[in-house]
Amino acid sequence: MILKSIISCFICLTILFAEAKPPKPTILVTGGGGYIGSHTIVELLNDSYSIVVLDNLSNCYAFNATEKPESLKRVEKLTNKNVVFNNIDIRDEKSLDKVFKTYKIGAVIHFAALKSVSESTRKPVEYYDNNVAGTNTLIQAMQNNKVKKLIYSSSATVYGNPQYLPLTENHPTGQNITNPYGRSKYFTEEILKDLSYADSQWKIILLRYFNPVGAHPSGLIGEDPTGIPNNLMPYLSQVAIGRRDHLKIFGSDYPTPDGTGVRDFIHIIDLASGHLRALKKLMDPEFRGCKAYNLGTGKGYSVLDLVKTFEKVSGRRINYQITDRRRGDLATVYADPNLAEKELKWRAERYIEQMCEDTWRWQMQNPNGYHTDEEESN
Ligand code: NAD
Ligand code: WQD
């Protein structure tokens, strides 16, 4: 009897203690309806963060402007948790201010940006306005509301043409970047560094992604490019499913083992978990200033390696043709991921086979991405 009472007392205390744990802060996720944002939100929700998303739906599908993007509806289904959604443009300071006044935001993860390299060469002003001026407006709204913790989606593109490999975070940035998109990422990094020098209360992490690919293993969420994909993996998987006739391989005369370009492909779930680790770092009272981390695997695979692996896991033949090099492409790019391992306690775990398997599952289950209508998604 006494033992029973002691045990139940112990259970009550344990429950009370668990309940007394302070709730995790609410995270504002800009561009959360997109590819990387939606996968990151799954990890954040699974780790008990509350999420407020803002997205202007410029590159994610929603049934109409008042509804949540389809990606976020599926995130809710996957996690059984709610995501607050606001259809807001990051350049709209008044609306941003309202969001900060409505929710108690602890930190911001800033994904919202335009990301097509080729489009950026045709519409440079639009890219600088959206990506650079947009970020400036966001940080002004954050500053006005005393929210000074930020994770910024940067890119390996800031390194330009590698002077050495693997790329470490102290490799020079901003030199020989071949397009406005890449420069918009570099300029924004510089603004954020200046901000942290000017005001030591700011805590900023720049995450430099290498080549994110893959999808959630459930096949419920994945990459859903609008129109003809620019990037290799979505193009490859659309060829495999029969939506495109063949893949053009841009050049086979690079100084690489098989002549095709070599990249550091990283599984989207590894990338998403990198954000979780970065957020933990940002919340650490010891963390100061503005710091960049590479999120890559540290291994390079060629375009042909990816094609062959995709053929193996999908059991489909990929038609391809070797064509001229694409302007601005680099021969070999891969990360040194050791700083993230040392300081964020993060390391990519998934292999190229899993990247292809998960992409293929997403593609088979969603041949037209989030659209139900084939016409609309082409
Ligand atoms: P995405 O296009 O899938 O997602 C971006 C989201 O931001 C979209 O849902 C879009 O509607 C939204 N958005 C764009 N401009 C906005 C604005 N002005 N206001 C509000 N919402 C806006 O792209 P992604 O692949 O998820 O990339 C996310 C971030 O990661 C971007 O900043 C991108 O530059 C960066 N990045 C991506 C890659 C990659 O290969 N996917 C590599 C390196 C860096
Ligand atoms: C990879 C390799 C191509 C398509 C871009 C941005 C970078 C980052 C990621 C956002 C290259 C080859 C491609 C095709 C091909 N994005 N390829 N046929 O160019 O490494 O990086 O996306 O920040 O900033 O520049 O990625 O997937 O376009 O190309 O042969 O149809 O595949 O030549 O060698 P990239 P990618």
Side-chain angles (χ1 to χ4, degrees):
M1 184 66 188
I2 295 175
L3 186 68
K4 227 177 164 183
S5 318
I6 292 173
I7 290 173
S8 51
C9 227
F10 179 74
I11 292 172
C12 286
L13 278 174
T14 314
I15 292 170
L16 267 178
F17 187 71
E19 280 178 355
K21 251 170 111 183
K24 292 222 165 129
T26 298
I27 308 301
L28 178 67
V29 180
T30 75
Y35 174 45
I36 305 175
S38 54
H39 288 79
T40 302
I41 292 170
V42 171
E43 300 303 307
L44 292 167
L45 289 171
N46 285 340
D47 203 35
S48 304
Y49 286 97
S50 300
I51 302 297
V52 174
V53 168
L54 59 88
D55 198 300
N56 67 356
L57 305 183
S58 60
N59 199 34
C60 64
Y61 174 71
F63 185 66
N64 65 46
T66 56
E67 276 198 35
K68 266 178 203 167
E70 181 61 24
S71 56
L72 294 182
K73 288 186 184 169
R74 296 193 187 185
V75 165
E76 289 181 330
K77 195 168 150 190
L78 252 175
T79 58
N80 219 6
K81 290 188 175 158
N82 181 49
V83 176
V84 176
F85 174 70
N86 297 274
N87 180 351
I88 286 175
D89 193 297
I90 51 163
R91 291 162 294 182
D92 176 355
E93 196 174 351
K94 255 195 187 151
S95 300
L96 288 181
D97 196 60
K98 223 167 156 185
V99 169
F100 284 108
K101 300 232 162 5
T102 308
Y103 308 98
K104 198 175 173 308
I105 304 295
V108 177
I109 307 184
H110 177 31
F111 294 104
L114 297 174
K115 65 161 181 179
S116 160
V117 167
S118 59
E119 188 184 52
S120 79
T121 59
R122 296 190 302 275
K123 302 178 178 173
V125 178
E126 211 170 308
Y127 269 67
Y128 291 128
D129 182 46
N130 199 83
N131 296 2
V132 183
T135 305
N136 223 27
T137 306
L138 173 71
I139 56 185
Q140 266 161 23
M142 289 175 70
Q143 189 133 283
N144 293 341
N145 289 280
K146 302 193 169 45
V147 177
K148 296 186 177 180
K149 294 191 183 79
L150 175 71
I151 294 178
Y152 175 65
S153 291
S154 191
S155 167
T157 194
V158 301
Y159 295 121
N161 198 356
Q163 294 171 17
Y164 60 82
L165 287 164
L167 285 157
T168 55
E169 287 80 353
N170 54 17
H171 181 284
T173 57
Q175 296 171 19
N176 307 312
I177 300 175
T178 52
N179 56 79
Y181 164 75
R183 276 188 287 275
S184 80
K185 292 278 136 183
Y186 167 69
F187 294 152
T188 306
E189 279 203 358
E190 295 303 295
I191 292 171
L192 295 174
K193 286 179 197 164
D194 284 342
L195 176 64
S196 84
Y197 296 140
D199 177 352
S200 62
Q201 285 178 352
W202 274 90
K203 295 175 180 222
I204 302 171
I205 291 183
L206 313 172
L207 294 179
R208 295 180 179 151
Y209 315 150
F210 280 68
N211 287 62
V213 295
H216 192 274
S218 63
L220 269 184
I221 58 171
E223 186 171 12
D224 181 21
T226 316
I228 301 169
N230 291 300
N231 296 115
L232 176 62
M233 185 66 116
Y235 204 108
L236 186 55
S237 64
Q238 291 192 7
V239 172
I241 200 86
R243 235 173 105 176
R244 316 253 162 228
D245 179 61
H246 68 280
L247 173 74
K248 287 187 187 123
I249 295 186
F250 300 138
S252 60
D253 57 351
Y254 284 106
T256 61
D258 64 21
T260 65
V262 167
R263 294 293 181 273
D264 187 336
F265 299 102
I266 172 167
H267 195 293
I268 187 72
I269 303 296
D270 282 329
L271 193 77
S273 75
H275 289 75
L276 210 62
R277 306 305 310 186
L279 194 55
K280 289 208 168 91
K281 183 81 178 170
L282 202 65
M283 296 299 176
D284 178 347
E286 306 277 290
F287 181 81
R288 298 261 172 283
C290 177
K291 188 117 208 234
Y293 294 98
N294 288 337
L295 293 186
T297 64
K299 290 184 204 73
Y301 287 97
S302 75
V303 174
L304 275 172
D305 287 335
L306 198 72
V307 171
K308 284 180 195 146
T309 310
F310 205 98
E311 283 185 326
K312 196 174 85 194
V313 307
S314 66
R316 303 267 173 118
R317 227 181 92 81
I318 308 288
N319 287 327
Y320 67 80
Q321 268 175 19
I322 309 275
T323 66
D324 289 344
R325 291 181 179 192
R326 185 171 65 179
R327 231 176 110 204
D329 269 352
L330 302 168
T332 304
V333 181
Y334 57 92
D336 180 335
N338 286 320
L339 191 66
E341 176 157 24
K342 188 164 159 242
E343 295 189 6
L344 302 182
K345 317 280 177 247
W346 170 89
R347 187 165 195 97
E349 288 168 355
R350 291 159 180 83
Y351 295 101
I352 187 173
E353 284 79 10
Q354 203 171 342
M355 300 179 202
C356 293
E357 273 164 21
D358 291 337
T359 304
W360 182 231
R361 188 177 306 102
W362 153 254
Q363 184 69 73
M364 277 197 301
Q365 289 181 22
N366 308 272
N368 301 308
Y370 291 117
H371 298 72
T372 43
D373 176 351
E374 193 174 336
E375 293 260 77
E376 241 185 308
S377 62
N378 281 334

